[in-house]
Amino acid sequence: MKFNLLKRLSVATMAVVATVGLTFGGFTEKAEAASVSGKVVIAGSTALLPLTNQAKKEFTKLNPRVSISVSGSSSIAGPQSVLKGSATLGACDWDATQSVPGYKAFSGLKAHKIAVIPFATIVNKENPVKSLTTKQLQDIFSGKIKNWKQVGGKDEEIVVVNRKSGSGTRVNYQMKALKGSSFMSGGNYKEVGKSGEMASAVESNPNAIGFTDLAYVKGNIKALAYNGVPATVDNVINGKYTVWGYGYLLTKGEPKGAAAAFIKYMQSSKFQNGSLKTLKFVPISKVK
């Protein structure tokens, strides 16, 4: 009888300890989350804007003492804003600490890889063309091919839509899809400043062609296959689709406080395999 009573008391004690432990464990997690505070300003890439906006919503919900503002204009504005001190984090579609065609490396910055960005050639859904080759795209964007019938489409003049200089999407598309081929600068041609403006321009014109990242491919626009390979997340992962680049957050030196915590959250397995994939980006661990 005495042994059974002691056994019951021991079990009860263990249960109380476990409950208290879990409770204080919960408090610890909340305290750690609440201990992150400060202001983070993110500027730069519009290709990454859907991603940074979503991360902001999730991160500030977990860390209510952190204030985050997100804006997008162009990738070049990311490193520029960080160096000027007007932004904490610069979003950029290339590693701005390294030189790329047209842009010298920015010194004093540190690049943090946060995503793989699939880019795609886009046309209006009314356009019957489904795939274009590298050569066809080079000739279209340089102005040599001027009519859709030359590439299997309708007898309509092609309207080429490009991103303005400074765009990371433009840098990646020219390097990867056009293999460095030059863009046209006149004729039936227009330039837009942001990814959203590119999507709107193509969506509103059945004869337009442009390019953007997959996050913006919706509504009345479609992504064309590249050399017969559909522009999909799976094809980026399996190595068949090659028009993609890494997205980065740039800091002035090593990040600290809320900025460091935000970068860590965007790189976390939870975010990489959750919202990031939902938005048609590719986790950085999936591509080598």
Side-chain angles (χ1 to χ4, degrees):
M1 174 96 79
K2 188 180 289 185
F3 174 76
N4 288 337
L5 179 60
L6 287 170
K7 186 176 180 180
R8 284 198 296 272
L9 285 171
S10 297
V11 171
T13 302
M14 288 173 67
V16 170
V17 171
T19 302
V20 172
L22 286 172
T23 301
F24 280 106
F27 285 153
T28 301
E29 288 177 9
K30 289 178 182 177
E32 286 176 355
S35 68
V36 181
S37 62
K39 182 180 180 181
V40 178
V41 178
I42 306 170
S45 165
T46 57
L48 288 169
L49 196 57
L51 199 61
T52 49
N53 266 325
Q54 181 60 32
K56 167 193 170 181
K57 292 176 186 177
E58 296 177 22
F59 185 80
T60 52
K61 188 175 181 180
L62 294 170
N63 303 275
R65 294 174 60 196
V66 177
S67 170
I68 301 178
S69 64
V70 182
S71 64
S73 54
S74 66
S75 278
I76 196 66
Q80 288 175 340
S81 298
V82 172
L83 285 177
K84 289 177 183 175
S86 58
T88 322
L89 301 174
C92 191
D93 303 345
W94 73 84
D95 181 354
T97 67
Q98 306 292 321
S99 296
V100 296
Y103 302 96
K104 293 181 179 179
F106 286 79
S107 60
L109 298 182
K110 186 173 178 61
H112 311 272
K113 196 181 291 181
I114 57 165
V116 173
I117 315 172
F119 297 101
T121 305
I122 58 171
V123 296
N124 190 283
K125 277 188 175 179
E126 293 181 23
N127 194 320
V129 174
K130 296 180 180 180
S131 179
L132 291 172
T133 66
T134 302
K135 183 65 166 62
Q136 287 172 327
L137 288 171
Q138 288 173 334
D139 288 347
I140 287 172
F141 280 94
S142 65
K144 292 178 182 177
I145 291 179
K146 302 179 184 296
N147 195 297
W148 280 111
K149 70 178 180 180
Q150 294 174 264
V151 291
K154 298 178 181 178
D155 185 7
E156 299 285 352
E157 190 174 1
I158 298 172
V159 178
V160 174
V161 186
N162 196 1
R163 289 288 304 278
K164 292 180 180 178
S165 181
S167 157
T169 302
R170 172 174 170 150
V171 169
N172 277 278
Y173 190 80
Q174 188 171 20
M175 288 172 62
K176 279 110 186 220
L178 304 182
K179 306 299 182 186
S181 176
S182 298
F183 288 112
M184 62 195 289
S185 58
N188 207 2
Y189 169 89
K190 64 182 292 186
E191 289 187 355
V192 295
K194 302 178 181 181
S195 297
E197 293 171 2
M198 169 67 79
S200 296
V202 174
E203 188 172 34
S204 62
N205 191 326
N207 297 317
I209 185 170
F211 51 86
T212 189
D213 55 308
L214 288 185
Y216 288 89
V217 179
K218 52 191 174 182
N220 202 37
I221 61 177
K222 67 178 182 180
L224 296 183
Y226 179 66
N227 293 319
V229 179
T232 66
V233 166
D234 287 342
N235 281 337
V236 171
I237 294 172
N238 64 31
K240 293 180 181 178
Y241 188 78
T242 57
V243 188
W244 59 270
Y246 287 111
Y248 297 85
L249 288 179
L250 298 149
T251 57
K252 189 182 290 185
E254 287 292 339
K256 299 177 182 178
F262 182 77
I263 293 170
K264 186 176 180 181
Y265 180 76
M266 290 199 74
Q267 294 173 333
S268 70
S269 177
K270 176 186 176 182
F271 187 75
Q272 290 279 311
N273 293 298
S275 297
L276 182 139
K277 290 173 71 176
T278 302
L279 291 168
K280 300 179 185 176
F281 292 85
V282 180
I284 51 180
S285 63
K286 297 291 185 181
V287 175
K288 295 180 181 179

